[in-house]
Amino acid sequence: MIGLGTGRIERIVALGAHCDDIAIGAGGTLLTICAENRGVRVDALVLSGGGTEREAEERAALTAFCPGADVEVTVLKLPDGRLPSHWEEAKNGLEELRRRTDPDLVLSPRTADAHQDHRGLATLVPTVFRTHLQLEYEIAKWDGDLGKPTAYVPLPAERAEEKVRLLQEHYASQRHRPWYDREAFLGLARIRGIECGQRYAEAFDLKKLTLDLTAKG
C-alpha cells in the first residue's frame, strides 16, 4: 500500500449530522492532525442538537479531540432524522460556513451511509466545498452499511485508546446505547488497521484526488 501525504494542514472543516458523529468517525484523525499541526484551525458544523445537553457535550468533546487547535463549533437545531425535509436549512448552514473558511480538508459522513441524515449531509458537501479534499468517515450501526474504504489513517495503539477514552468521557448521553462501547470502537479500528497493514486505523471513502506527479520531496 502506497502512503500519500497532504502536506501541512492549516484549516479543517469537520461536519456531522448529529453530535458525536465527527468524534466517532474521525476522532483519531483529528487527534493525529492536531498533534502534527499545532495551531490548526478547526471549524465544526453539526446539524442537530443545538440548545440541548448534546451541544454542550459536543463542544467539550471536540475541544478535547483537537488539542492545541483553534476550534469553532456551530450546532444547528435541525430535528434528528429529518434532514431531507430541512434541505435548505442544511445547505444554508454549509454555505455560511464556506464563506468563513477555505479548508485544506473536509471531514464528513459517507454518501453511502444508510442513515438519511448522514447520507444527505454527505451529498450536500461537494455542492458547497467543490474543490476541496473530502474524506468521508464511517460509523458502525445496525444497518450493516460498512463498505470497502479507499483511504486509511493509521492510529498508534495509544491514540486509538485515547479516542475511546474521550468518547466515553464526553458523551455521557450515549453510554446506554448497545453499540456505544470500547469493543465496537476498537474492533472496527483493528479491522481497518489490518486492511492497511497497521495495528489500528480510521477508514474513509475518498471520491476525488488530484495527483501532482511532478512534485519533488
Side-chain angles (χ1 to χ4, degrees), residues 25 88 106 133 155:
E88 185 173 357
V106 178
L133 176 61
L155 301 177

Side-chain angles (χ1 to χ4, degrees), residues 101-122:
T101 185
D102 184 23
D104 303 303
L105 172 65
V106 178
L107 299 169
S108 79
R110 298 169 59 235
T111 310
D113 195 297
H115 193 297
Q116 66 271 20
D117 292 353
H118 299 175
R119 185 172 63 250
L121 174 55

Side-chain angles (χ1 to χ4, degrees), residues 169-203:
E169 177 181 340
H170 287 286
Y171 295 105
S173 66
Q174 304 304 298
R175 292 175 191 154
H176 69 283
R177 298 186 181 276
W179 51 267
Y180 198 91
D181 60 34
R182 170 188 168 82
E183 289 179 294
F185 298 135
L186 278 185
L188 179 57
R190 179 69 185 109
I191 290 170
R192 297 316 190 195
I194 291 170
E195 292 173 351
C196 67
Q198 303 291 326
R199 182 66 184 175
Y200 297 105
E202 286 179 339

Side-chain angles (χ1 to χ4, degrees), residues 52-67:
T52 72
E53 66 172 340
R54 300 216 63 200
E55 178 177 356
E57 288 181 342
E58 186 76 336
R59 291 184 180 280
L62 291 181
T63 298
F65 273 101
C66 302

Side-chain angles (χ1 to χ4, degrees), residues 140-215:
K141 63 182 77 67
W142 71 272
D143 306 83
D145 61 356
L146 296 177
K148 185 175 182 180
T150 51
Y152 298 83
V153 176
L155 301 177
E158 60 272 17
R159 187 156 290 151
E161 292 281 1
E162 183 180 9
K163 173 184 174 177
V164 173
R165 179 183 63 79
L166 291 175
L167 286 171
Q168 295 287 5
E169 177 181 340
H170 287 286
Y171 295 105
S173 66
Q174 304 304 298
R175 292 175 191 154
H176 69 283
R177 298 186 181 276
W179 51 267
Y180 198 91
D181 60 34
R182 170 188 168 82
E183 289 179 294
F185 298 135
L186 278 185
L188 179 57
R190 179 69 185 109
I191 290 170
R192 297 316 190 195
I194 291 170
E195 292 173 351
C196 67
Q198 303 291 326
R199 182 66 184 175
Y200 297 105
E202 286 179 339
F204 302 86
D205 287 351
L206 175 60
K207 295 297 171 54
K208 286 187 177 182
L209 177 67
T210 300
L211 296 174
D212 181 358
L213 300 179
T214 66

